[in-house]
């Protein structure tokens, strides 16, 4: 499968490739009822079972694109999307699609750890319970915490508040909470930006473990992190549009992480990954 | 804090210095010439330090004046009413004019019943309205109108609420052809409580971090589940505090009850009959020419003030509770 395609020359096929998890076809997202275009003409094929990283300067729309993948942008007033986002061949923005169902299949971990004001146990049980989980809840809590590499630290205080954990542990709790719902995809929006290097390392180790089961898409400002965790990298950049005032985000280049960092096709990518950029 | 203090001192300095432009002090720039530049020690006689002291004392005096009425009212009520406290007072009916003894049992029970009716009406509506404003409304004209209306309702004098419910329910005899009733009193108090509950719910929910909602929605919670299981429990503290405070405020209202619940010298006879309440009992008895009744009015004042004080303390306790 060819993952290193040039955005402008990509064919607009709607034929579903079974290896593809999420497919973005000419996606443009705008805020303020179409007044401010955040990101323009994104084409992307995110494969199953891999870690895909989005990198790029601030304001290039990488988080916006990530949030479009599980319809989190619905929560922002006046946010609109053009183009198509296909998940397993289904258009996520079809009128008949229930966004709640989408988010059960495509979970999300946020920038700031945001555990619920409940016990550690309840934090994980919450999602599973509202999704109608019928099995052994203790088992699910344990396996989720194990997958998020938090079990050893949290097993003795499952009844304590989620806030009693450190920042890095809280973020792993949030990952465990997302895993417990058993989604197919996990979206991570700069999951380590609020954490120290040791916690970051733990979360990266967790991600390596997780990619055996889940497709992961991660937004990161940390290029080393992208090289460490991801199989594919999309570089977003800001450009000027012809008939539009202000900067607009776009997907500059998308391909295997190895190639993006070592021999990128675009000069802008080269400049960014080598640190010669804004 | 530092900045404010600095601003205050600077302005005071200007005021002090401006009439003295001809003095030798002013000619040497910003500070008196004889204050050597060498010392960093505090100079208590500098104008800015003097003004600082003056304003500190002044602020303290005003703060004392603020709490003075509360202390005086409490002390006065305790002295006048506390002395006649007894179990009989809390459980007996008021005496007929000219008789002695008796208590205010019916009024205490009446106040509890009317407040309970008001709470049962106002809490669901108020919390529901607050949830709508904070979680569902999209800052459209309707939401702004509701918010504005809430603020206006909060400023409506309580006697107007009484007259309104009088016209709506008492005069029309809408409930089983009864005129004055506990129910009408409860509805009037509910109208008074509504704005407080709506506002505290709205503001309490707005304090819940947006990330928490995202977290719940991110694991596939619907909006309803997010609100009932995550957002509302997180905001429980300010909401519960607001509810208790609004009940405490409504329980002491007199004007709306005179028009609606009226008064009764007997035990409550049902929700659709006139009912006694402590505030109306005080209003009625305090102007009677009998010493027994006047003493009862004082005793009732004491009980009412204590009840409201306890509710306020309870609200503070609720506010200090730490949820897991």
């Amino acid at each position: 499968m060819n993952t290193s395609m040039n955005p402008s020359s990509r064919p607009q096929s709607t034929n579903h490739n079974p290896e593809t998890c999420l497919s973005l076809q000419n996606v443009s997202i705008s805020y303020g009822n179409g007044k401010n275009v955040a990101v323009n003409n994104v084409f992307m094929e995110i494969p199953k079972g891999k870690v895909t990283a989005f990198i790029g300067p601030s304001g290039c729309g990488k988080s916006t694109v990530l949030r479009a993948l599980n319809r989190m942008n619905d929560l922002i007033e006046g946010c609109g999307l053009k183009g198509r986002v296909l998940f397993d061949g289904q258009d996520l923005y079809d009128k008949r699609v229930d966004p709640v169902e989408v988010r059960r299949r495509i979970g999300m971990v946020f920038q700031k750890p945001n555990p619920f004001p409940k016990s550690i146990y309840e934090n994980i049980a919450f999602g599973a319970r509202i999704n109608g989980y019928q099995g052994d809840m203790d088992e699910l809590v344990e396996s989720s915490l194990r997958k998020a590499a938090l079990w050893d630290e949290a097993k003795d205080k499952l009844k304590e508040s989620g806030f009693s954990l450190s920042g890095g542990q809280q973020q792993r709790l949030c990952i465990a909470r997302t895993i417990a719902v058993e989604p197919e995809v996990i979206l991570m929006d700069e999951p380590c930006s609020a954490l120290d290097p040791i916690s970051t390392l733990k979360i990266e180790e967790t991600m390596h473990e997780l990619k055996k089961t889940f497709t992961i898409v991660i937004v990161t400002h940390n290029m080393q992190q992208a090289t460490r965790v991801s199989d594919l990298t999309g570089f977003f950049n800001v450009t000027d549009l012809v008939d539009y005032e202000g900067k607009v985000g776009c997907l500059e280049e998308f391909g295997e992480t190895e190639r993006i960092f070592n021999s990128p096709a675009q000069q802008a990518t080269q400049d960014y990954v080598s640190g010669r950029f804004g | 804090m530092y900045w404010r203090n600095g601003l205050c001192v600077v302005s005071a300095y200007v005021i002090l210095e401006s009439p003295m432009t001809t003095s030798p002090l002013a000619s040497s720039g910003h500070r008196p010439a004889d204050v050597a530049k060498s010392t960093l020690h505090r100079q208590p006689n500098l104008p800015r330090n003097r003004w600082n002291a003056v304003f500190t004392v002044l602020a303290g005096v005003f703060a004392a004046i603020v709490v003075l009425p509360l202390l005086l009212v409490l002390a006065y009520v305790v002295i006048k009413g506390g002395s006649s406290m007894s179990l009989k007072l809390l459980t007996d009916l008021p005496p007929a004019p000219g008789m002695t003894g008796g208590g205010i049992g019916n009024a205490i029970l009446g106040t509890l019943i009317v407040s309970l009716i008001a709470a049962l009406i106002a809490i669901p509506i108020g919390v529901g309205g607050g949830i709508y404003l904070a979680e569902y409304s999209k800052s459209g004209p309707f939401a702004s109108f509701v918010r504005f209306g809430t603020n206006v309702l909060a400023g409506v004098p309580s006697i107007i609420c009484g007259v309104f419910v009088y016209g709506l329910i008492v005069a029309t005899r809408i409930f089983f052809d009864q005129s004055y009733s506990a129910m009408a009193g409860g509805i009037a108090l509910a109208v008074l409580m509504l704005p407080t509950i709506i506002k505290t719910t709205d503001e309490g929910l707005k304090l819940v971090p947006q990330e928490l909602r995202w977290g719940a929605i991110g694991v596939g919670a619907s909006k309803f589940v997010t609100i009932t299981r995550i957002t509302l429990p997180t905001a429980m503290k300010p909401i519960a505090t607001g509810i208790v405070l609004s009940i405490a405020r409504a329980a002491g209202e007199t004007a709306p009850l005179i028009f609606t619940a009226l008064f009764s010298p007997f035990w409550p006879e049902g929700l659709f009959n006139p009912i006694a309440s402590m505030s109306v009992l005080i209003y009625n008895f305090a102007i009677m020419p009998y010493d027994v009744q006047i003493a009862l009015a004082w005793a009732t004042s004491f009980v009412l003030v204590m009840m409201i004080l306890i509710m306020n303390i309870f609200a503070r306790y609720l506010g200090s509770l730490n949820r897991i």
Side-chain angles (χ1 to χ4, degrees):
Chain A
M1 162 181 165
N2 177 21
T3 47
S4 57
M5 60 279 286
N6 188 331
S8 51
S9 64
R10 262 211 10 69
Q12 280 199 46
S13 89
T14 53
N15 295 336
H16 179 51
N17 180 343
E19 290 298 309
T20 304
C21 177
L22 284 152
S23 165
L24 288 86
Q25 302 183 347
N26 201 8
V27 169
S28 300
I29 305 168
S30 60
Y31 292 114
N33 294 316
K35 260 182 257 147
N36 308 310
V37 181
V39 61
N40 213 14
N41 304 109
V42 175
F43 288 91
M44 201 180 238
E45 301 268 321
I46 296 169
K48 273 188 187 141
K50 305 257 178 184
V51 179
T52 304
F54 292 176
I55 60 168
S58 296
C60 65
K62 53 194 188 304
S63 287
T64 305
V65 171
L66 188 80
R67 295 163 59 91
L69 299 182
N70 73 340
R71 297 201 43 174
M72 224 53 186
N73 284 334
D74 289 14
L75 306 183
I76 298 169
E77 242 179 279
C79 183
L81 180 138
K82 277 188 279 184
R84 309 213 306 158
V85 182
L86 299 183
F87 171 61
D88 277 345
Q90 296 183 61
D91 189 347
L92 289 182
Y93 287 82
D94 191 292
K95 283 213 159 47
R96 290 164 297 177
V97 165
D98 180 3
V100 173
E101 199 55 46
V102 171
R103 294 176 199 127
R104 288 179 182 190
R105 307 266 295 275
I106 308 177
M108 189 152 195
V109 176
F110 298 86
Q111 183 169 2
K112 250 172 60 187
N114 57 349
F116 302 131
K118 298 171 180 288
S119 69
I120 293 171
Y121 186 96
E122 282 302 317
N123 256 284
I124 292 164
F126 173 76
R129 215 172 266 151
I130 60 169
N131 283 294
Y133 179 76
Q134 294 293 330
D136 184 346
M137 191 61 81
D138 292 351
E139 209 169 272
L140 179 75
V141 169
E142 178 174 344
S143 70
S144 303
L145 282 171
R146 275 192 197 284
K147 279 186 211 155
L150 190 61
W151 174 250
D152 291 333
E153 289 151 88
K155 65 178 178 223
D156 296 325
K157 44 188 206 175
L158 291 177
K159 293 275 166 277
E160 280 177 43
S161 165
F163 294 126
S164 68
L165 299 170
S166 74
Q169 290 171 333
Q170 284 185 20
Q171 191 64 302
R172 274 179 282 147
L173 177 63
C174 293
I175 293 174
R177 173 178 87 185
T178 309
I179 296 168
V181 185
E182 289 172 348
E184 290 160 44
V185 185
I186 301 177
L187 309 176
M188 297 186 172
D189 189 357
E190 296 180 45
C192 303
S193 66
L195 306 181
D196 67 286
I198 295 167
S199 307
T200 302
L201 194 71
K202 289 216 162 160
I203 292 196
E204 287 177 8
E205 283 167 5
T206 310
M207 284 165 65
H208 278 298
E209 206 52 43
L210 292 180
K211 79 174 180 190
K212 294 171 190 161
T213 344
F214 305 98
T215 304
I216 298 176
V217 185
I218 176 174
V219 166
T220 178
H221 268 128
N222 182 332
M223 281 181 277
Q224 283 75 39
Q225 182 170 57
T227 57
R228 285 193 299 261
V229 299
S230 72
D231 304 305
L232 293 131
T233 299
F235 170 58
F236 287 79
N237 202 355
V238 282
T239 52
D240 296 301
L241 271 190
V242 183
D243 49 354
Y244 183 80
E245 286 173 47
K247 300 280 186 188
V248 173
C250 65
L251 178 63
E252 190 83 34
E253 195 169 356
F254 180 48
E256 275 156 31
T257 303
E258 178 83 18
R259 190 183 63 77
I260 292 286
F261 280 90
N262 293 327
S263 55
Q266 306 284 325
Q267 185 60 38
T269 316
Q270 176 71 47
D271 288 350
Y272 187 78
V273 298
S274 59
R276 262 183 285 140
F277 191 89
Chain B
M1 211 54 212
Y2 172 80
W3 180 84
R4 282 188 154 212
N5 207 5
L7 191 75
C8 165
V9 169
V10 166
S11 53
Y13 192 75
V14 169
I15 294 163
L16 192 75
E17 287 297 291
S18 49
M20 297 159 59
T21 40
T22 52
S23 78
L25 288 185
S27 60
S28 66
H30 286 303
R31 67 177 71 203
D34 55 337
V35 176
K37 276 183 181 171
S38 56
T39 179
L40 284 173
H41 293 182
R42 189 170 181 277
Q43 306 283 325
N45 291 331
L46 276 181
R48 64 154 188 267
N49 288 337
R50 282 187 178 170
W51 279 108
N52 223 355
V54 168
F55 279 114
T56 306
V57 170
L58 215 55
V61 169
F62 283 132
I65 293 174
V66 166
V67 293
L68 200 63
L70 171 69
L71 295 178
L72 285 180
V73 166
L74 277 181
Y76 201 64
V77 168
V78 168
I79 293 165
K80 285 284 218 170
S83 53
S84 50
M85 267 299 105
S86 67
L87 193 65
K88 260 181 91 64
L89 183 97
L90 298 178
T91 54
D92 280 11
L93 284 175
M99 308 291 282
T100 55
I104 54 165
N106 62 338
I108 295 175
L109 189 62
T111 291
L112 293 179
I113 290 173
V114 174
S115 304
L116 186 70
I117 295 171
L120 288 179
I121 297 170
I123 291 172
I125 299 177
V127 172
I131 290 174
Y132 171 79
L133 286 181
E135 303 286 334
Y136 285 93
S137 74
K138 291 200 164 70
S139 60
F142 180 64
S144 342
F145 173 71
V146 172
R147 281 209 180 89
F148 176 71
T150 308
N151 284 332
V152 173
L153 190 59
V156 168
S158 58
I159 195 160
I160 308 286
C161 286
V163 173
F164 161 70
V165 174
Y166 176 83
L168 194 75
I169 291 166
V170 178
T172 57
R173 294 173 170 269
I174 205 163
F175 291 132
F176 311 112
D177 210 29
Q178 296 278 349
S179 56
Y180 297 99
S181 67
M183 186 54 86
I187 292 170
L189 294 188
V191 175
L192 280 177
M193 287 166 64
L194 259 182
T196 320
I197 298 181
I198 292 179
K199 266 200 279 191
T200 47
T201 307
D202 184 14
E203 276 153 28
L205 287 174
K206 277 195 207 144
L207 286 179
V208 174
Q210 195 61 30
E211 288 86 15
L212 221 51
R213 294 187 184 92
W214 292 347
I217 287 166
V219 293
S222 62
K223 190 155 191 166
F224 174 76
V225 169
T226 306
I227 291 171
T228 52
R229 304 278 296 279
I230 301 292
T231 329
L232 213 50
T234 309
M236 212 55 225
K237 234 163 63 170
I239 295 174
T241 309
I243 288 173
V244 172
L245 287 179
S246 75
I247 294 174
R249 197 216 143 184
E253 281 291 346
T254 319
L257 291 181
I258 296 174
F259 286 96
T260 51
L262 205 64
F263 189 72
S264 152
F266 311 113
W267 290 105
E269 290 159 16
L271 298 184
F272 299 102
N273 285 308
I275 197 167
S277 60
M278 286 196 270
S279 49
V280 179
L281 183 142
I282 297 168
Y283 172 79
N284 285 345
F285 282 17
I287 51 175
M288 277 192 178
Y290 303 104
D291 286 342
V292 180
Q293 265 74 8
I294 292 175
L296 273 182
W298 278 114
T300 314
S301 309
F302 175 76
V303 174
L304 191 56
V305 166
M306 285 303 142
M307 210 165 101
I308 291 169
L309 195 67
I310 287 168
M311 292 194 83
N312 274 275
I313 292 168
F314 179 62
R316 280 190 67 102
Y317 164 75
L318 279 183
S320 70
L321 278 184
N322 266 329
R323 289 185 52 81
I324 192 164

